Structure formats: structure tokens, C-alpha cells
Amino acid sequence: MNSDQHHSTRDRVIEVRGLRRSYGDIEAVRGVSFEVARGEVFCLLGPNGAGKTTIVEILEGYRSRTSGEATVLGLDPASGSRALHERVGIVLQQCGVQPDLTVSELVEMYGRYHVRQRSVDEVIDLVELSEKRDERAKQLSGGQRRRLDLAIALVGDPDLIFLDEPTTGFDPAARRAAWSAIKSLCELGKTIFLTTHFMDEAQFLADHVAVMRDGQIIASGRPEDLGGRDLRPAEIRFTLPAGGVSAADVPALPGEQRSVQGDRVIVTTREPVRAAQVLTTWAVDNAVDLGHFSVTQPTLEDIYLELTGSGDHNQTREEQSA
Ligand code: ATP
């Protein structure tokens, strides 16, 4: 084995090959393969029932597989190895803790179960709960409770952390706080396996996403180029000023397809830079005040809906979200 191969093997925290899991006649996972590298945030996406939880629970060692190979931190998760449990942190969707204990008491108590321990204060700080360290768990809001769950998962200083829909039910500020806590983990070199139904969360956090449907991975890659996202046409949108200028006055733009709805114009083009230049030069030269001007690429959600069959591919993105 050459040194490159050796390096890449050592840096694979999770390896899954041809994984299958059936429940009676239902084949929930149908031949899934992927790898997760050390220090990356890997995100599994997919509609309800796609098979995500089944895969996560197989990797966590809570569910058996029907066939295929799975390795987590070099060990078989089905072995029930204590060494593996020591190195893996799990944040479940619902996690019950003793409601009358304070944040710091709980983190300290769970820390005692581990050989390796991070400092209680450091962990509480990391999940941004320092101001709540002496409050009882039952007094915390839903979002604060989830961050406490995260702190409990972190106190054993795991190398790999499973986060199952970590921000479901959070308000926007709490989501941002959780994202910031998760980013801090990445900076510590932790590997994170995330499931979420929020595409903005995947976009913000993930280095690599895999999209599942009907028990199979149908696309995977960086959020920026999933499903050829980076190669898709962009949309240029603007509104025309009242009186004097009509859509027919707007010059032909490179590579464009145009849709006009009253004073709103949507131009779809694979040459957004040149098209925007022609358009803005015309507008400035002719003192045409274009309103609400924007240039956008398809979002991760656009691509996800297309891949999972939940979107109409012939609509403009605006029609889809209307
Ligand atoms: P969600 O987004 O709703 O959490 P998921 O992608 O995690 O969905 P899974 O929970 O893995 O999906 O379920 C995949 C399929 O396996 C579904 O059809 C589900 O009904 C089925 N399934 C899951 N657990 C069991 C079980 N214990 N017994 C029988 N069928 C099951």
C-alpha cells in the first residue's frame, strides 16, 4: 500500500458498502455505499421513510443490518464494542434527562460515564449555554434543551457525533446558535454525521451531502455542486419601472429564455455574468431604474426537490415557491 492509500484509509471515519436492511417484506435500505472522511460534516437528506434513520441506527450500533459492510472508526458497529461507544456521541431527536438537575450537574454526571472527558465549563461554553449553567433542565426552552443534549453528547470528547435533525422546532436565533456550536465542533476536528430536513442547514453546515430516496442514494456531492447545481442556468430577475419602458425594450441577453409577468421579468441563462453586464449597461445608459434586481443559482432545495421528485421541473423557481 502506498502512503496516499494509507492516509486515505486512516482518514475514513465511516465506510459503508452495499448496505441492506429489510423489515419483513419492506426493503428499507437497498444497497447503500458511502464514506465519511475525518473532520467533515456529512449530511444525509431524504424524504420521510427514505431510510435515513435506519442507516444512522445501524452505524450507531442500535440496529442490525441484513447484509453489506459497515465500519465506524475502524470497528464494526454491530460488535457492540465499548471502545466504539466511548468515541461516538449521539444526539437523538428526543432525549430524556433528569428534569430537576441543572445544566452543569447533568453535563458533569454524564461525563462520569466516560473514560475521556472534556471540562464541563468548556462543553457548556461550546454549546452557548453558559448563562444557563445553573438552571434546571425543566426550566430550559426547547432549543436550549437540544443544546443541552448536544453538550451531554460532547462531554465524553467523542471523535464522531451523530446529530439527528438537531434544530427541529428551533426559532431562527436558536438555529443560528446551534449552527455556530456545530461549526465550533468542526474546528475541533470532530466528524459529524447529520440528518436534517432543512436545506439551508445542509447548505450551511455540510461538506458533503447524500440524498436518499426509497432506500437508495440517488445523488451525492458537495452542496455547491449536487445534481450538477453549479452547471444549471441562473435566473436574473427584475421589475420594470412604471410607464415608458416595456419588456420588449429590454435588449436580447446572452443565452436567455425570458418570462414576463406584468412588470416582472425573469431571465433564465447559462451566461449570467455576460447577461447581467448587457442588461445593467443598457439600464444605466438609458436611465432605466430596474427594481428588485437579483441573480440567483438554483438553491440546494430546488435541486433536492427535483431529485426526490417533489418539484415540477418545468416551472421557474419562483413558480415552484409561489
Ligand atoms: P424520517 O425522515 O421520517 O425520519 P427515514 O428516512 O429516517 O424517515 P426510516 O425510519 O429509516 O426512514 O424508514 C425507512 C422505511 O423502513 C420506512 O418505510 C419505514 O416505514 C420502515 N421501517 C422503519 N423502521 C421499521 C421497523 N422497526 N419495522 C418495520 N418497518 C420499519
Side-chain angles (χ1 to χ4, degrees):
M1 184 184 282
N2 69 33
S3 63
D4 279 357
Q5 282 170 328
H6 179 73
H7 188 252
S8 62
T9 306
R10 204 187 56 202
D11 280 354
R12 266 179 238 143
V13 170
I14 297 177
E15 276 187 88
V16 170
R17 292 271 165 273
L19 188 68
R20 291 181 180 271
R21 169 68 209 226
S22 301
Y23 301 105
D25 291 342
I26 300 172
E27 206 178 10
V29 177
R30 299 189 291 145
V32 163
S33 302
F34 61 87
E35 289 172 2
V36 180
R38 186 175 312 282
E40 83 173 351
V41 178
F42 181 94
C43 180
L44 205 50
L45 300 172
N48 294 134
K52 304 179 298 295
T53 306
T54 301
I55 290 180
V56 170
E57 292 189 356
I58 289 170
L59 296 175
E60 290 170 345
Y62 291 129
R63 224 176 265 226
S64 61
R65 56 189 186 262
T66 306
S67 64
E69 290 168 32
T71 311
V72 177
L73 293 160
L75 298 163
D76 182 342
S79 68
S81 146
R82 169 90 191 149
L84 193 54
H85 286 154
E86 265 301 316
R87 296 177 61 197
V88 173
I90 296 174
V91 183
L92 302 169
Q93 279 183 40
Q94 300 292 334
C95 193
V97 292
Q98 294 79 342
D100 288 317
L101 296 184
T102 67
V103 167
S104 60
E105 286 167 346
L106 281 162
V107 175
E108 191 182 341
M109 185 181 91
Y110 281 96
R112 281 196 227 115
Y113 292 119
H114 297 278
V115 179
R116 235 162 57 168
Q117 272 178 45
R118 290 190 88 82
S119 116
V120 171
D121 285 341
E122 188 192 351
V123 170
I124 292 174
D125 201 32
L126 197 64
V127 300
E128 301 181 19
L129 275 182
S130 301
E131 286 173 17
K132 301 283 174 188
R133 70 187 311 285
D134 297 321
E135 292 218 11
R136 297 182 195 287
K138 66 184 178 192
Q139 293 166 318
L140 300 177
S141 73
Q144 291 160 352
R145 275 292 311 277
R146 298 304 313 277
R147 276 185 276 148
L148 171 59
D149 294 338
L150 181 58
I152 289 170
L154 294 180
V155 69
D157 197 22
D159 297 317
L160 168 65
I161 300 145
F162 287 97
L163 298 174
D164 191 12
E165 300 185 25
T167 65
T168 298
F170 282 26
D171 69 33
R175 291 183 73 212
R176 289 282 165 169
W179 289 0
S180 143
I182 294 166
K183 281 277 185 201
S184 310
L185 298 179
C186 302
E187 280 154 26
L188 293 173
K190 308 295 182 189
T191 306
I192 295 175
F193 194 105
L194 172 75
T195 61
T196 184
H197 287 293
F198 300 118
M199 297 302 135
D200 56 346
E201 187 159 289
Q203 173 73 58
F204 186 82
L205 292 174
D207 297 301
H208 196 102
V209 293
V211 180
M212 287 195 71
R213 190 180 63 187
D214 299 333
Q216 291 181 311
I217 291 179
I218 54 168
S220 83
R222 297 191 313 164
E224 296 75 25
D225 21 72
L226 188 80
R229 183 178 164 202
D230 53 330
L231 307 173
R232 300 295 177 97
E235 280 182 4
I236 302 176
R237 300 174 193 203
F238 51 91
T239 51
L240 294 164
V245 182
S246 80
D249 298 324
V250 178
L253 303 175
E256 75 161 321
Q257 274 195 321
R258 193 177 295 189
S259 140
V260 181
Q261 294 158 5
D263 63 348
R264 300 162 77 207
V265 182
I266 302 174
V267 169
T268 308
T269 175
R270 289 183 189 277
E271 299 177 61
V273 175
R274 287 183 56 223
Q277 196 229 347
V278 172
L279 178 64
T280 52
T281 302
W282 167 79
V284 170
D285 288 352
N286 294 281
V288 177
D289 188 14
L290 298 180
H292 311 104
F293 181 81
S294 70
V295 183
T296 55
Q297 291 287 144
T299 63
L300 183 58
E301 182 157 291
D302 294 326
I303 301 295
Y304 170 84
L305 291 173
E306 199 181 300
L307 287 168
T308 55
S310 320
D312 181 339
H313 308 179
N314 296 320
Q315 289 177 316
T316 63
R317 299 202 297 275
E318 183 158 276
E319 283 164 349
Q320 282 177 24
S321 58

